[in-house]
Amino acid sequence: MGRVTVRRPVRMLSASGQRRRPDALAAEEPLELRVGGRSLAVTMRTPGNDVELAHGFLLSEGVLGDREDVATARYCDSVDDTGRNTYNVLDLALAAGVAPPELGVERNFYTTSSCGVCGKAALDAVRLKTRFSPAGAPFPVTTSMLAALPDALRERQRVFAATGGLHAAALFAADGSLLAVREDVGRHNAVDKVLGWALLEGRVPLADTGLLVSGRASFELVQKAAMAGVPLLAAVSAPSSLAVELAEENGMTLVGFLRGDTMNLYTGEHRLTDLA
């Protein structure tokens, strides 16, 4: 497996002078996802939890609905100059009866570490219909519980603490306990990893679980949450207009600017039990 961090020399400049020292950087490497030997997606990610990432990605694309939908997952066909496996190509074989993803000119699955849906030609192509609608999930929470989530997440961000260069996503229960935390250079990859963890653990649909992200709430993150049946998405930063629109369409609660004891509630206020 590739390294999660890479150490590089740096010349540090400040008002008090300058010095040279080693610096820890978040690793970023390409991962090619294949399904049945056919290339489906290339994403730039932080190595680690790649099988979870692949499961979460295919869940959010509507291909998977259960861990039994994947027969095998294996690394293949990726070696460096010395012949060692770089673990940058992952091939998933779907179980019998599971339809493979459709590939057409209207969908371009190349993704970057910053955007999970770059290259998708039309808005209709990413408004996927979920098989696990979150609209009817109660998931009652309190504002005080939500306010405590960012600090709890930061305490679990070990690689961020070393590099300052990673996004994080976490699944949490209604009492505020964090069920799983994943980090990645790509915000959408971090979400795919925690959703993939949930799928592999047999927890999907996630009707009794919220999703917390360390950055902004973009359209594709709301989409991924909806595809897994997540009723509440909380973000430390701002949502986009399309993110709010999609959350409302799917009956989700969307919280943004979750910082300290302040937050903005955009949709789904009925799940917050302590509102006047």
PDB file of all heavy atoms in Angstrom, residues 9 25 41 57 69 80 98 103 122-123 126 155 158-159 169-170 180 209 219 227 230 250 252 263:
ATOM      1  N   PRO A   9      11.973  17.928   2.241  1.00  0.00           N
ATOM      2  CA  PRO A   9      12.655  19.062   2.866  1.00  0.00           C
ATOM      3  C   PRO A   9      11.959  20.365   2.502  1.00  0.00           C
ATOM      4  O   PRO A   9      11.436  20.531   1.394  1.00  0.00           O
ATOM      5  CB  PRO A   9      14.064  18.987   2.263  1.00  0.00           C
ATOM      6  CG  PRO A   9      13.875  18.283   0.956  1.00  0.00           C
ATOM      7  CD  PRO A   9      12.760  17.306   1.178  1.00  0.00           C
ATOM      8  N   LEU A  25       3.885  15.766   4.157  1.00  0.00           N
ATOM      9  CA  LEU A  25       2.868  16.105   3.166  1.00  0.00           C
ATOM     10  C   LEU A  25       1.873  14.958   3.036  1.00  0.00           C
ATOM     11  O   LEU A  25       2.237  13.779   3.145  1.00  0.00           O
ATOM     12  CB  LEU A  25       3.510  16.361   1.794  1.00  0.00           C
ATOM     13  CG  LEU A  25       4.621  17.406   1.733  1.00  0.00           C
ATOM     14  CD1 LEU A  25       5.189  17.467   0.321  1.00  0.00           C
ATOM     15  CD2 LEU A  25       4.107  18.764   2.163  1.00  0.00           C
ATOM     16  N   ALA A  41     -13.252   4.384 -13.525  1.00  0.00           N
ATOM     17  CA  ALA A  41     -12.967   5.697 -12.960  1.00  0.00           C
ATOM     18  C   ALA A  41     -11.510   5.792 -12.572  1.00  0.00           C
ATOM     19  O   ALA A  41     -10.874   4.793 -12.229  1.00  0.00           O
ATOM     20  CB  ALA A  41     -13.849   5.965 -11.740  1.00  0.00           C
ATOM     21  N   PHE A  57     -18.049   4.460  -3.691  1.00  0.00           N
ATOM     22  CA  PHE A  57     -18.243   5.090  -4.989  1.00  0.00           C
ATOM     23  C   PHE A  57     -19.346   4.385  -5.771  1.00  0.00           C
ATOM     24  O   PHE A  57     -20.247   5.034  -6.334  1.00  0.00           O
ATOM     25  CB  PHE A  57     -16.936   5.068  -5.781  1.00  0.00           C
ATOM     26  CG  PHE A  57     -17.049   5.628  -7.170  1.00  0.00           C
ATOM     27  CD1 PHE A  57     -17.093   6.998  -7.383  1.00  0.00           C
ATOM     28  CD2 PHE A  57     -17.111   4.794  -8.271  1.00  0.00           C
ATOM     29  CE1 PHE A  57     -17.202   7.524  -8.662  1.00  0.00           C
ATOM     30  CE2 PHE A  57     -17.220   5.308  -9.550  1.00  0.00           C
ATOM     31  CZ  PHE A  57     -17.263   6.673  -9.755  1.00  0.00           C
ATOM     32  N   ASP A  69     -23.173  -7.661  -3.093  1.00  0.00           N
ATOM     33  CA  ASP A  69     -23.196  -7.338  -4.520  1.00  0.00           C
ATOM     34  C   ASP A  69     -21.813  -7.403  -5.151  1.00  0.00           C
ATOM     35  O   ASP A  69     -21.695  -7.368  -6.385  1.00  0.00           O
ATOM     36  CB  ASP A  69     -23.782  -5.940  -4.743  1.00  0.00           C
ATOM     37  CG  ASP A  69     -25.279  -5.888  -4.464  1.00  0.00           C
ATOM     38  OD1 ASP A  69     -25.898  -6.960  -4.405  1.00  0.00           O
ATOM     39  OD2 ASP A  69     -25.812  -4.768  -4.302  1.00  0.00           O
ATOM     40  N   ASP A  80       5.703  -0.573 -10.432  1.00  0.00           N
ATOM     41  CA  ASP A  80       6.659   0.507 -10.645  1.00  0.00           C
ATOM     42  C   ASP A  80       7.862   0.011 -11.441  1.00  0.00           C
ATOM     43  O   ASP A  80       7.852  -1.107 -11.979  1.00  0.00           O
ATOM     44  CB  ASP A  80       7.076   1.117  -9.305  1.00  0.00           C
ATOM     45  CG  ASP A  80       7.769   0.113  -8.391  1.00  0.00           C
ATOM     46  OD1 ASP A  80       8.216  -0.946  -8.888  1.00  0.00           O
ATOM     47  OD2 ASP A  80       7.866   0.395  -7.181  1.00  0.00           O
ATOM     48  N   VAL A  98     -25.900  -8.873 -10.526  1.00  0.00           N
ATOM     49  CA  VAL A  98     -25.749  -7.436 -10.271  1.00  0.00           C
ATOM     50  C   VAL A  98     -25.373  -6.753 -11.580  1.00  0.00           C
ATOM     51  O   VAL A  98     -24.369  -7.096 -12.204  1.00  0.00           O
ATOM     52  CB  VAL A  98     -24.684  -7.154  -9.198  1.00  0.00           C
ATOM     53  CG1 VAL A  98     -24.511  -5.659  -8.989  1.00  0.00           C
ATOM     54  CG2 VAL A  98     -25.054  -7.843  -7.901  1.00  0.00           C
ATOM     55  N   LEU A 103     -21.862   2.648 -19.113  1.00  0.00           N
ATOM     56  CA  LEU A 103     -20.877   3.614 -19.585  1.00  0.00           C
ATOM     57  C   LEU A 103     -21.357   4.180 -20.911  1.00  0.00           C
ATOM     58  O   LEU A 103     -21.643   3.432 -21.836  1.00  0.00           O
ATOM     59  CB  LEU A 103     -19.502   2.966 -19.761  1.00  0.00           C
ATOM     60  CG  LEU A 103     -18.804   2.513 -18.475  1.00  0.00           C
ATOM     61  CD1 LEU A 103     -17.464   1.869 -18.806  1.00  0.00           C
ATOM     62  CD2 LEU A 103     -18.595   3.678 -17.540  1.00  0.00           C
ATOM     63  N   ALA A 122     -24.259  16.716 -17.832  1.00  0.00           N
ATOM     64  CA  ALA A 122     -25.513  17.403 -17.568  1.00  0.00           C
ATOM     65  C   ALA A 122     -25.951  17.158 -16.144  1.00  0.00           C
ATOM     66  O   ALA A 122     -25.602  16.154 -15.529  1.00  0.00           O
ATOM     67  CB  ALA A 122     -26.595  16.913 -18.540  1.00  0.00           C
ATOM     68  N   LEU A 123     -26.734  18.110 -15.610  1.00  0.00           N
ATOM     69  CA  LEU A 123     -27.220  17.979 -14.249  1.00  0.00           C
ATOM     70  C   LEU A 123     -28.055  16.722 -14.078  1.00  0.00           C
ATOM     71  O   LEU A 123     -27.981  16.043 -13.053  1.00  0.00           O
ATOM     72  CB  LEU A 123     -28.053  19.206 -13.881  1.00  0.00           C
ATOM     73  CG  LEU A 123     -28.549  19.288 -12.441  1.00  0.00           C
ATOM     74  CD1 LEU A 123     -27.385  19.298 -11.473  1.00  0.00           C
ATOM     75  CD2 LEU A 123     -29.397  20.527 -12.245  1.00  0.00           C
ATOM     76  N   VAL A 126     -26.352  13.471 -12.896  1.00  0.00           N
ATOM     77  CA  VAL A 126     -25.922  13.244 -11.518  1.00  0.00           C
ATOM     78  C   VAL A 126     -27.077  13.283 -10.528  1.00  0.00           C
ATOM     79  O   VAL A 126     -26.882  13.075  -9.334  1.00  0.00           O
ATOM     80  CB  VAL A 126     -24.841  14.263 -11.083  1.00  0.00           C
ATOM     81  CG1 VAL A 126     -23.565  14.024 -11.840  1.00  0.00           C
ATOM     82  CG2 VAL A 126     -25.312  15.687 -11.268  1.00  0.00           C
ATOM     83  N   GLU A 155     -10.230  15.536  16.682  1.00  0.00           N
ATOM     84  CA  GLU A 155      -9.435  14.657  17.537  1.00  0.00           C
ATOM     85  C   GLU A 155      -9.104  13.339  16.846  1.00  0.00           C
ATOM     86  O   GLU A 155      -8.109  12.685  17.196  1.00  0.00           O
ATOM     87  CB  GLU A 155     -10.190  14.381  18.837  1.00  0.00           C
ATOM     88  CG  GLU A 155     -10.295  15.583  19.760  1.00  0.00           C
ATOM     89  CD  GLU A 155     -11.102  15.275  21.003  1.00  0.00           C
ATOM     90  OE1 GLU A 155     -11.548  14.116  21.151  1.00  0.00           O
ATOM     91  OE2 GLU A 155     -11.297  16.200  21.829  1.00  0.00           O
ATOM     92  N   ARG A 158      -5.888  12.122  12.505  1.00  0.00           N
ATOM     93  CA  ARG A 158      -4.475  11.940  12.806  1.00  0.00           C
ATOM     94  C   ARG A 158      -3.564  12.425  11.684  1.00  0.00           C
ATOM     95  O   ARG A 158      -2.537  13.048  11.933  1.00  0.00           O
ATOM     96  CB  ARG A 158      -4.204  10.468  13.112  1.00  0.00           C
ATOM     97  CG  ARG A 158      -4.823   9.986  14.426  1.00  0.00           C
ATOM     98  CD  ARG A 158      -4.618   8.507  14.622  1.00  0.00           C
ATOM     99  NE  ARG A 158      -5.321   7.736  13.600  1.00  0.00           N
ATOM    100  CZ  ARG A 158      -5.289   6.414  13.508  1.00  0.00           C
ATOM    101  NH1 ARG A 158      -4.567   5.714  14.360  1.00  0.00           N
ATOM    102  NH2 ARG A 158      -5.967   5.785  12.565  1.00  0.00           N
ATOM    103  N   VAL A 159      -3.924  12.137  10.434  1.00  0.00           N
ATOM    104  CA  VAL A 159      -3.067  12.542   9.326  1.00  0.00           C
ATOM    105  C   VAL A 159      -3.172  14.047   9.094  1.00  0.00           C
ATOM    106  O   VAL A 159      -2.190  14.703   8.768  1.00  0.00           O
ATOM    107  CB  VAL A 159      -3.436  11.759   8.046  1.00  0.00           C
ATOM    108  CG1 VAL A 159      -2.479  12.126   6.904  1.00  0.00           C
ATOM    109  CG2 VAL A 159      -3.369  10.259   8.304  1.00  0.00           C
ATOM    110  N   ALA A 169     -14.291  12.854   6.708  1.00  0.00           N
ATOM    111  CA  ALA A 169     -15.725  12.572   6.759  1.00  0.00           C
ATOM    112  C   ALA A 169     -15.948  11.577   7.880  1.00  0.00           C
ATOM    113  O   ALA A 169     -15.093  10.721   8.147  1.00  0.00           O
ATOM    114  CB  ALA A 169     -16.223  12.002   5.434  1.00  0.00           C
ATOM    115  N   ALA A 170     -17.089  11.700   8.541  1.00  0.00           N
ATOM    116  CA  ALA A 170     -17.405  10.798   9.648  1.00  0.00           C
ATOM    117  C   ALA A 170     -18.875  10.443   9.612  1.00  0.00           C
ATOM    118  O   ALA A 170     -19.724  11.266   9.256  1.00  0.00           O
ATOM    119  CB  ALA A 170     -17.058  11.451  10.992  1.00  0.00           C
ATOM    120  N   ALA A 180     -17.339   5.962  12.344  1.00  0.00           N
ATOM    121  CA  ALA A 180     -16.208   5.749  11.435  1.00  0.00           C
ATOM    122  C   ALA A 180     -15.717   7.098  10.958  1.00  0.00           C
ATOM    123  O   ALA A 180     -16.519   7.996  10.692  1.00  0.00           O
ATOM    124  CB  ALA A 180     -16.612   4.882  10.246  1.00  0.00           C
ATOM    125  N   THR A 209     -28.157   7.216  10.957  1.00  0.00           N
ATOM    126  CA  THR A 209     -26.785   7.715  10.957  1.00  0.00           C
ATOM    127  C   THR A 209     -26.711   9.059  10.247  1.00  0.00           C
ATOM    128  O   THR A 209     -27.392   9.288   9.244  1.00  0.00           O
ATOM    129  CB  THR A 209     -25.853   6.721  10.229  1.00  0.00           C
ATOM    130  OG1 THR A 209     -26.066   5.408  10.747  1.00  0.00           O
ATOM    131  CG2 THR A 209     -24.399   7.097  10.411  1.00  0.00           C
ATOM    132  N   PHE A 219     -22.858  19.645  -3.994  1.00  0.00           N
ATOM    133  CA  PHE A 219     -23.939  18.848  -4.567  1.00  0.00           C
ATOM    134  C   PHE A 219     -23.621  17.359  -4.508  1.00  0.00           C
ATOM    135  O   PHE A 219     -24.458  16.541  -4.110  1.00  0.00           O
ATOM    136  CB  PHE A 219     -24.167  19.279  -6.021  1.00  0.00           C
ATOM    137  CG  PHE A 219     -25.197  18.465  -6.754  1.00  0.00           C
ATOM    138  CD1 PHE A 219     -26.527  18.845  -6.759  1.00  0.00           C
ATOM    139  CD2 PHE A 219     -24.829  17.320  -7.446  1.00  0.00           C
ATOM    140  CE1 PHE A 219     -27.476  18.092  -7.436  1.00  0.00           C
ATOM    141  CE2 PHE A 219     -25.768  16.568  -8.129  1.00  0.00           C
ATOM    142  CZ  PHE A 219     -27.098  16.953  -8.119  1.00  0.00           C
ATOM    143  N   MET A 227     -27.871   8.672  -1.594  1.00  0.00           N
ATOM    144  CA  MET A 227     -27.812   7.337  -2.179  1.00  0.00           C
ATOM    145  C   MET A 227     -27.615   6.266  -1.118  1.00  0.00           C
ATOM    146  O   MET A 227     -27.961   5.103  -1.325  1.00  0.00           O
ATOM    147  CB  MET A 227     -26.698   7.265  -3.219  1.00  0.00           C
ATOM    148  CG  MET A 227     -26.948   8.130  -4.451  1.00  0.00           C
ATOM    149  SD  MET A 227     -28.413   7.635  -5.387  1.00  0.00           S
ATOM    150  CE  MET A 227     -27.829   6.138  -6.185  1.00  0.00           C
ATOM    151  N   VAL A 230     -28.720   8.414   4.062  1.00  0.00           N
ATOM    152  CA  VAL A 230     -28.338   9.243   5.208  1.00  0.00           C
ATOM    153  C   VAL A 230     -29.337  10.389   5.364  1.00  0.00           C
ATOM    154  O   VAL A 230     -29.510  11.182   4.431  1.00  0.00           O
ATOM    155  CB  VAL A 230     -26.920   9.809   5.037  1.00  0.00           C
ATOM    156  CG1 VAL A 230     -26.579  10.766   6.169  1.00  0.00           C
ATOM    157  CG2 VAL A 230     -25.902   8.676   4.962  1.00  0.00           C
ATOM    158  N   ASN A 250     -34.777  15.388  -1.334  1.00  0.00           N
ATOM    159  CA  ASN A 250     -34.658  14.048  -0.768  1.00  0.00           C
ATOM    160  C   ASN A 250     -35.095  13.966   0.690  1.00  0.00           C
ATOM    161  O   ASN A 250     -34.905  12.935   1.328  1.00  0.00           O
ATOM    162  CB  ASN A 250     -33.213  13.546  -0.905  1.00  0.00           C
ATOM    163  CG  ASN A 250     -32.890  13.093  -2.308  1.00  0.00           C
ATOM    164  OD1 ASN A 250     -33.148  11.957  -2.679  1.00  0.00           O
ATOM    165  ND2 ASN A 250     -32.324  13.991  -3.103  1.00  0.00           N
ATOM    166  N   MET A 252     -33.856  15.453   3.318  1.00  0.00           N
ATOM    167  CA  MET A 252     -32.706  15.399   4.208  1.00  0.00           C
ATOM    168  C   MET A 252     -32.608  16.663   5.050  1.00  0.00           C
ATOM    169  O   MET A 252     -33.100  17.724   4.668  1.00  0.00           O
ATOM    170  CB  MET A 252     -31.406  15.228   3.408  1.00  0.00           C
ATOM    171  CG  MET A 252     -31.300  13.919   2.653  1.00  0.00           C
ATOM    172  SD  MET A 252     -29.867  13.913   1.540  1.00  0.00           S
ATOM    173  CE  MET A 252     -28.520  14.202   2.711  1.00  0.00           C
ATOM    174  N   MET A 263     -24.555  27.466  13.901  1.00  0.00           N
ATOM    175  CA  MET A 263     -24.760  26.644  12.710  1.00  0.00           C
ATOM    176  C   MET A 263     -25.909  27.229  11.922  1.00  0.00           C
ATOM    177  O   MET A 263     -26.757  27.951  12.459  1.00  0.00           O
ATOM    178  CB  MET A 263     -25.067  25.194  13.099  1.00  0.00           C
ATOM    179  CG  MET A 263     -26.372  25.000  13.845  1.00  0.00           C
ATOM    180  SD  MET A 263     -26.525  23.366  14.636  1.00  0.00           S
ATOM    181  CE  MET A 263     -25.424  23.565  16.054  1.00  0.00           C
TER     182      MET A 263
END
